[in-house]
Amino acid sequence: MAVSGSLFKPNQSLSIFLKPTKPNLSCKKHFCLKASALENEEPKMSTIKENDVWKIDFSGKKPDTPLLDTINYPVHMKNLSTRELEQVAAEIRADIVHTVSETGGHLSSSLGVVELTIALHYVFDTPDDKIIWDVGHQAYPHKILTGRRSRMHTIRKTSGLAGFPKMDESVYDAFGAGHSSTSISAGLGMAVARDLLKKKNSVVSVIGDGAMTAGLAYEAMNNAGFLDSNLIVILNDNKQVSLPTATLDGPATPVGALSKALTGIQASKQFRKLRETAKGLTKQIGGQTHEVAAKVDEYARGIISASGSTLFEELGLYYIGPVDGHSIEDLVAMFEKVKAMPAPGPVLIHIVTEKGKGYPPAEAAADKMHGVVRFDKKTGKQFKSKSSTLSYTQYFAESLIKEAEADDKIVAIHAAMGGGTGLNFFQKRFPDRCFDVGIAEQHAVTFAAGLATEGLKPFCAIYSSFLQRGYDQVVHDVDLQKLPVRFAMDRAGLVGADGPTHCGAFDITYMACLPNMVVMAPSDEAELMHMVATAAAIDDRPSCFRFPRGNGTGAVLPPNYKGTPLEVWMINFWVTKQISPEQMN
């Protein structure tokens, strides 16, 4: 049965209803954590609380973290007060900014979940209780609190810490990640295994609103509602259904009906009371009364509840929220209440957070400083390397724009990766011919197939390792029907710091084995432009071209970035340079 509840009104603290035990927080309004330093010691960042707002001075060289220095594992903060947990949050933010400024990596996602991470490890008993982080680029606070802080300077480096959760790196990493939307499925499997093994631990899946756009998440929630195992799903809603680099003008408007539903969700204490009354009536009278209760329940959903919560209820999850994801007091109270429930079944807790929270340059940046190279802590200015050539991604985008200027049937599709695939440039030039489908590679491929059936020329731009997620659609919906969908496979080959989850090592094998697929691999940026033109010209079968991360070699480019179609010859439909079969003999 789908059940739901809201524990507080909009803009009202959870503590009013849950009444958590509050520590003695009497102290001065101005609280400074800056420790005394020797005269010759380099200045440190200080973490200050003024008027109940934590502020961090990022002008120093190294963060001053007196309380965080006492925490190596989650057990070390179990006896801390709410104020002390807030201090830990401020120190973790300072530590993350300091570390990532020197290593590069995913910054804003981690800054946005600091309070959430602390509350989870404070309430739940990890590693016995399982926390599964979806995608995993937000796991830096988790790594800091689970024995890896001293190695954070090695993150995303050879023999260093992985940029994502990794099971063989720590017992606290319950499930490896890197790609999106896997956490609920994995968490449900762990919950069912726990029940079969007669264990009592909690299982928590943390998933963002962006990852929630993928079909796998809904398949998992549908199954979770049916199995009714105790599972906690935390929906981290930061209004970033697509990555903030989706357009050249900053964050894109979140795509899809899900974002509208999440925006429309409102808490309703009255709704919860009415539903509980309906359930109680069923138990007391029995018989066909459950039909009456169901009518009351349905009425409550339609009249009182927000449409977004109904979505999760219909899938069988007990909905709670939305909750302020930056209030440790509210988060701790909520998690303790849910953990204490004897048999809640699957529960979805909707929390609202802000990417880049606490670091002004990230909060102000158009891309929220999602993924960064080394940068200046004080200003947020990144130290990007200069090159005399553009990236292969940019050459692809410029070439596709030229083809689209000459052919109005060319359209482009990406899966929440406008910046990563270069299609933000295409979107700027042709806003009505560029489609962001959200993190939904399967849908992207079949959507492109549908466009092709009507005579359009779709270019589906997806990272090599991400296209693996839509492989059945490539085979079944595109190749077997010989539909002329063009796949632009960026990040082919080794990708460096992102590690094995993003390594594009398999695309040649999984594309070249298909009977109708034309496979192309350029040796430089000029050939890439010719292959874009070739793909546009091929109209009787699917085609793909792969290109690496990084910059071009400096090859002489075709005039005006407009390529010339190459000759295609039959050895598994591989395409080489402009060499015909006759020239080979």
Side-chain angles (χ1 to χ4, degrees):
M1 177 186 290
V3 290
S4 171
S6 285
L7 300 184
F8 62 102
K9 297 177 181 178
N11 301 320
Q12 191 169 17
S13 173
L14 274 172
S15 59
I16 295 176
F17 302 107
L18 300 179
K19 297 180 180 179
T21 302
K22 294 185 178 180
N24 182 5
L25 302 182
S26 59
C27 58
K28 297 180 179 179
K29 285 292 184 181
H30 181 277
F31 185 63
C32 181
L33 303 175
K34 185 174 182 179
S36 61
L38 299 176
E39 289 185 6
N40 295 329
E41 193 176 37
E42 62 182 10
K44 294 187 175 184
M45 292 189 290
S46 60
T47 308
I48 303 170
K49 188 169 188 180
E50 293 179 342
N51 299 322
D52 292 327
V53 177
W54 287 94
K55 296 182 179 180
I56 304 172
D57 179 9
F58 294 103
S59 61
K61 295 295 184 180
K62 186 178 180 181
D64 187 18
T65 56
L67 189 51
L68 182 59
D69 292 343
T70 69
I71 300 170
N72 291 321
Y73 293 94
V75 68
H76 297 146
M77 63 179 184
K78 294 293 185 181
N79 294 324
L80 298 184
S81 68
T82 301
R83 173 173 283 280
E84 288 170 328
L85 293 177
E86 291 173 349
Q87 176 179 332
V88 172
E91 293 180 8
I92 286 178
R93 279 201 171 87
D95 206 49
I96 289 175
V97 171
H98 173 71
T99 298
V100 179
S101 72
E102 297 184 346
T103 65
H106 291 101
L107 179 65
S108 61
S109 298
S110 292
L111 294 177
V113 298
V114 172
E115 289 86 0
L116 170 62
T117 306
I118 291 172
L120 284 172
H121 281 296
Y122 182 79
V123 173
F124 295 98
D125 299 318
T126 55
D128 291 333
D129 290 335
K130 310 298 181 184
I131 300 175
I132 304 103
W133 298 94
D134 208 283
V135 182
H137 52 25
Q138 76 282 55
Y140 292 14
H142 165 75
K143 289 177 183 271
I144 288 172
L145 292 173
T146 54
R148 288 169 278 183
R149 185 187 177 202
S150 64
R151 298 183 61 209
M152 287 299 291
H153 67 283
T154 71
I155 199 161
R156 292 161 50 92
K157 296 181 179 180
T158 302
S159 301
L161 294 178
F164 306 98
K166 194 174 183 180
M167 292 181 67
D168 60 7
E169 182 178 287
S170 172
V171 67
Y172 288 91
D173 291 356
F175 197 75
H179 294 190
S180 82
S181 315
T182 61
S183 62
I184 304 178
S185 294
L188 181 59
M190 294 178 193
V192 171
R194 171 204 60 208
D195 297 342
L196 291 175
L197 296 172
K198 302 189 184 308
K199 296 181 179 179
K200 300 296 183 182
N201 60 289
S202 298
V203 180
V204 182
S205 296
V206 183
I207 184 169
D209 52 337
M212 193 67 92
T213 61
L216 179 60
Y218 291 93
E219 294 170 17
M221 286 191 289
N222 179 59
N223 194 211
F226 173 76
L227 294 176
D228 204 35
S229 292
N230 293 346
L231 172 67
I232 301 171
V233 177
I234 297 176
L235 172 56
N236 177 30
D237 178 6
N238 58 23
K239 297 179 177 62
Q240 290 290 336
V241 174
S242 294
L243 289 183
T245 53
T247 75
L248 293 178
D249 300 320
T253 301
V255 301
L258 174 64
S259 62
K260 296 179 182 178
L262 294 180
T263 302
I265 287 177
Q266 297 179 2
S268 173
K269 185 179 179 183
Q270 294 84 357
F271 172 53
R272 184 173 182 237
K273 283 184 175 179
L274 184 55
R275 298 201 69 177
E276 292 301 320
T277 299
K279 289 193 292 183
L281 183 65
T282 301
K283 292 180 180 178
Q284 291 177 23
I285 302 177
Q288 294 183 344
T289 310
H290 69 86
E291 297 179 5
V292 178
K295 292 292 184 182
V296 173
D297 184 44
E298 194 69 29
Y299 176 81
R301 270 200 299 272
I303 302 301
I304 303 175
S305 174
S307 59
S309 62
T310 304
L311 169 66
F312 301 114
E313 295 156 19
E314 292 296 336
L315 290 170
L317 281 75
Y318 188 111
Y319 174 87
I320 302 171
V323 182
D324 181 359
H326 297 301
S327 170
I328 290 180
E329 183 178 14
D330 287 354
L331 290 171
V332 167
M334 171 60 67
F335 295 156
E336 287 179 339
K337 201 74 174 178
V338 172
K339 184 180 179 182
M341 292 179 181
V347 176
L348 185 138
I349 304 174
H350 176 191
I351 72 168
V352 179
T353 62
E354 179 186 358
K355 289 187 77 168
K357 178 73 174 179
Y359 184 49
E363 292 176 341
D367 66 352
K368 296 293 183 182
M369 296 184 72
H370 173 78
V372 296
V373 295
R374 294 176 63 250
F375 62 91
D376 178 79
K377 292 188 290 289
K378 187 175 182 179
T379 64
K381 182 179 180 180
Q382 299 183 50
F383 305 129
K384 295 184 178 181
S385 59
K386 296 182 179 180
S387 174
S388 59
T389 60
L390 301 177
S391 68
Y392 278 98
T393 301
Q394 290 174 285
Y395 286 122
F396 155 68
E398 294 295 338
S399 180
L400 184 60
I401 288 171
K402 293 303 178 182
E403 295 297 327
E405 288 175 347
D407 188 343
D408 62 7
K409 290 186 177 181
I410 290 178
V411 294
I413 304 101
H414 67 88
M417 294 292 291
T421 61
L423 290 187
N424 50 3
F425 296 99
F426 188 93
Q427 187 271 341
K428 183 76 172 179
R429 179 68 177 81
F430 302 105
D432 296 331
R433 292 159 63 183
C434 186
F435 302 94
D436 177 358
V437 302
I439 305 178
E441 290 84 1
Q442 290 177 299
H443 167 60
V445 173
T446 305
F447 174 65
L451 292 169
T453 64
E454 295 302 305
L456 294 182
K457 297 182 177 181
F459 278 75
C460 195
I462 301 178
Y463 284 10
S464 170
S465 61
F466 293 173
L467 189 57
Q468 295 164 186
R469 295 158 56 89
Y471 187 60
D472 179 63
Q473 287 66 39
V474 173
V475 176
H476 182 270
D477 299 336
V478 175
D479 190 81
L480 293 183
Q481 301 188 97
K482 296 185 70 174
L483 291 175
V485 175
R486 295 90 175 157
F487 295 99
M489 300 184 297
D490 201 338
R491 304 313 198 263
L494 301 179
V495 296
D498 280 332
T501 59
H502 288 58
C503 181
F506 309 118
D507 54 79
I508 291 177
T509 300
Y510 70 63
M511 286 302 216
C513 69
L514 299 178
N516 299 305
M517 184 69 67
V518 176
V519 180
M520 297 179 269
S523 62
D524 56 42
E525 60 269 40
E527 285 188 9
L528 173 60
M529 290 183 169
H530 293 313
M531 289 178 179
V532 172
T534 304
I538 296 173
D539 60 1
D540 63 343
R541 67 188 66 248
S543 59
C544 67
F545 48 94
R546 65 190 306 267
F547 51 96
R549 182 175 188 171
N551 288 28
T553 63
V556 178
L557 299 176
N560 202 30
Y561 289 171
K562 181 70 169 65
T564 302
L566 305 175
E567 294 185 67
V568 179
W569 51 283
M570 305 281 202
I571 297 183
N572 284 352
F573 288 112
W574 270 81
V575 174
T576 65
K577 298 180 181 180
Q578 295 181 359
I579 300 176
S580 67
E582 292 77 15
Q583 290 175 295
M584 290 192 64
N585 298 322

